[in-house]
Amino acid sequence: MDKPLSPAMAGRPESGQATIDPAIVQRAAQWMARLWADDAGEADRAACKQWRAAHPDNERAWRRLQAFDSKLNNVPQHAAPALLEPAKGKLSRRRAIQLLAVGAVAAGALPIVRDSGAWQRLSADYSTGVGQLREITLADGTRLLLNTASAVDVRFDHARREVVLHAGEILITTSSDPATPARPFTVRSRQGIVLALGTRFTVRQEDDVSRVAVFQGAVEIWPTHAQEPPLRLDAGQYSVFSDSHARPASAASASGSAWTQGLLVAENMRIEDFLHELGRYRMGLLRCAPEVANLLVTGVFPLSDTDRALANLKLALPVEVTYRTRYWVTVQARL
């Protein structure tokens, strides 16, 4: 069984994601811009290499921007026009990252950019787009399944196995650690740490809380600033936690992992809540008219075809689905 974390370990910032001084990020972006210039020479490359070697944070900033640039090069041109075509298509992808990094730092907006969904998905070790699921097998055999619009970093070293959840939701099926002594396996969200005790569980990151459901084994939840002992969840249990408190365990819904099968299972769910959940799997705006918000829906709906799910909703309830455009849809009362 994995070794539990101490409260001090649970509360401290994880080293792999320690904040880099914005001035260092700005300098890294300036070096990248210089090396992209047509007149860049060996002296420039040597000077940049010397700067990168001068401090570990310099190298971290450089690698982050390089990874981001590499992912931008793999993004379809139509997928992120606001980011990749800021001047009506006249800027290259590399110029776009230069402006994003240098401009954000210069404006003091780096935390906003860093925390944005686009930045997280493009700069993370593993990510998914809207409506996409992705399965990853880690070096120790642990399996991760990323839900829609999710982003994670993986931090394995001699002392720990950690997944940092930046956005979205993941299903984790842990494997025994081949290392000796065995390293603890944790998932870190914005609100704290979830310690796996040989288990299968989900963690979902929301704006102010994290949600955890356990399907096999057990976990411990360590909110970052909690004063009470960690909360243990066993198989079949569920909890929500902030950075200061974990709610008492409750029964996990049997439908909580239906997304892993590409399904949304609704059991007397308010239409407003149903549309909020379905909207995570489609691009654009999915609105709910106030007069139908509290109608209840029960059924099984496909997440891979959200238009068909909306059509099925019309069959079950007295509602109309109005498409203003493909990306602007409203569910309202049927006239």
Side-chain angles (χ1 to χ4, degrees):
M1 182 177 293
D2 290 334
K3 181 181 178 181
L5 298 175
S6 68
M9 181 181 292
R12 75 188 184 203
E14 48 87 32
S15 60
Q17 287 296 108
T19 301
I20 303 174
D21 187 337
I24 295 177
V25 179
Q26 182 181 28
R27 186 57 178 154
Q30 290 169 343
W31 273 118
M32 293 181 78
R34 176 59 193 149
L35 296 188
W36 294 335
D38 293 338
D39 61 347
E42 287 303 320
D44 296 303
R45 282 183 276 274
C48 177
K49 185 176 180 180
Q50 183 178 14
W51 175 81
R52 289 166 54 189
H55 192 280
D57 281 353
N58 296 358
E59 181 66 16
R60 288 179 56 222
W62 176 264
R63 289 185 179 275
R64 274 291 176 177
L65 290 182
Q66 287 278 44
F68 187 49
D69 176 52
S70 176
K71 294 187 179 186
L72 279 178
N73 285 327
N74 293 322
V75 173
Q77 193 72 10
H78 67 273
L83 179 60
L84 302 181
E85 301 177 300
K88 299 182 180 180
K90 295 180 180 179
L91 296 184
S92 69
R93 291 167 185 265
R94 287 191 167 187
R95 179 61 174 165
I97 188 178
Q98 176 192 346
L99 292 178
L100 178 63
V102 178
V105 174
L110 182 64
I112 297 173
V113 174
R114 186 187 62 232
D115 293 338
S116 69
W119 175 273
Q120 289 166 345
R121 289 195 295 274
L122 285 167
S123 63
D125 291 339
Y126 303 103
S127 62
T128 53
V130 174
Q132 179 187 11
L133 301 184
R134 182 180 181 186
E135 187 168 14
I136 305 295
T137 300
L138 303 183
D140 66 341
T142 292
R143 299 195 307 277
L144 298 183
L145 183 63
L146 279 66
N147 200 355
T148 178
S150 299
V152 300
D153 282 328
V154 176
R155 301 285 177 256
F156 278 29
D157 57 29
H158 70 282
R160 62 173 176 171
R161 297 176 293 160
E162 183 165 86
V163 172
V164 183
L165 177 60
H166 296 294
E169 182 174 20
I170 52 176
L171 171 70
I172 307 98
T173 305
T174 58
S175 178
S176 298
D177 188 13
T180 303
R183 299 163 296 177
F185 189 99
T186 58
V187 175
R188 181 181 294 272
S189 73
R190 296 176 210 157
Q191 286 73 40
I193 286 176
V194 181
L195 171 67
L197 304 175
T199 187
R200 183 171 181 265
F201 64 108
T202 58
V203 183
R204 177 167 166 173
Q205 179 66 73
E206 297 189 351
D207 290 342
D208 300 317
V209 297
S210 298
R211 300 180 182 274
V212 182
V214 181
F215 304 105
Q216 294 176 8
V219 303
E220 288 181 351
I221 298 175
W222 296 75
T224 302
H225 303 300
Q227 300 300 314
E228 64 266 17
L231 174 68
R232 180 186 172 102
L233 295 183
D234 293 305
Q237 293 186 319
Y238 166 87
S239 182
V240 179
F241 69 98
S242 67
D243 61 359
S244 61
H245 174 71
R247 298 180 193 172
S250 59
S253 170
S255 60
S257 62
W259 63 267
T260 66
Q261 306 300 317
L263 300 173
L264 171 55
V265 177
E267 303 174 47
N268 289 321
M269 183 182 291
R270 296 171 63 248
I271 285 189
E272 186 173 37
D273 297 332
F274 171 84
L275 294 178
H276 173 75
E277 191 66 19
L278 188 68
R280 298 174 60 216
Y281 297 85
R282 60 180 289 128
M283 299 294 290
L285 180 65
L286 182 56
R287 296 181 61 251
C288 179
E291 64 269 18
V292 300
N294 291 318
L295 292 179
L296 301 180
V297 58
T298 296
V300 179
F301 300 84
L303 293 173
S304 59
D305 187 347
T306 56
D307 288 315
R308 182 156 66 93
L310 291 171
N312 291 344
L313 185 66
K314 289 172 54 178
L315 298 176
L317 293 169
V319 298
E320 192 64 51
V321 180
T322 302
Y323 286 79
R324 187 164 182 175
T325 71
R326 171 69 180 83
Y327 303 105
W328 187 347
V329 182
T330 301
V331 176
Q332 56 195 17
R334 185 180 301 159
L335 300 179

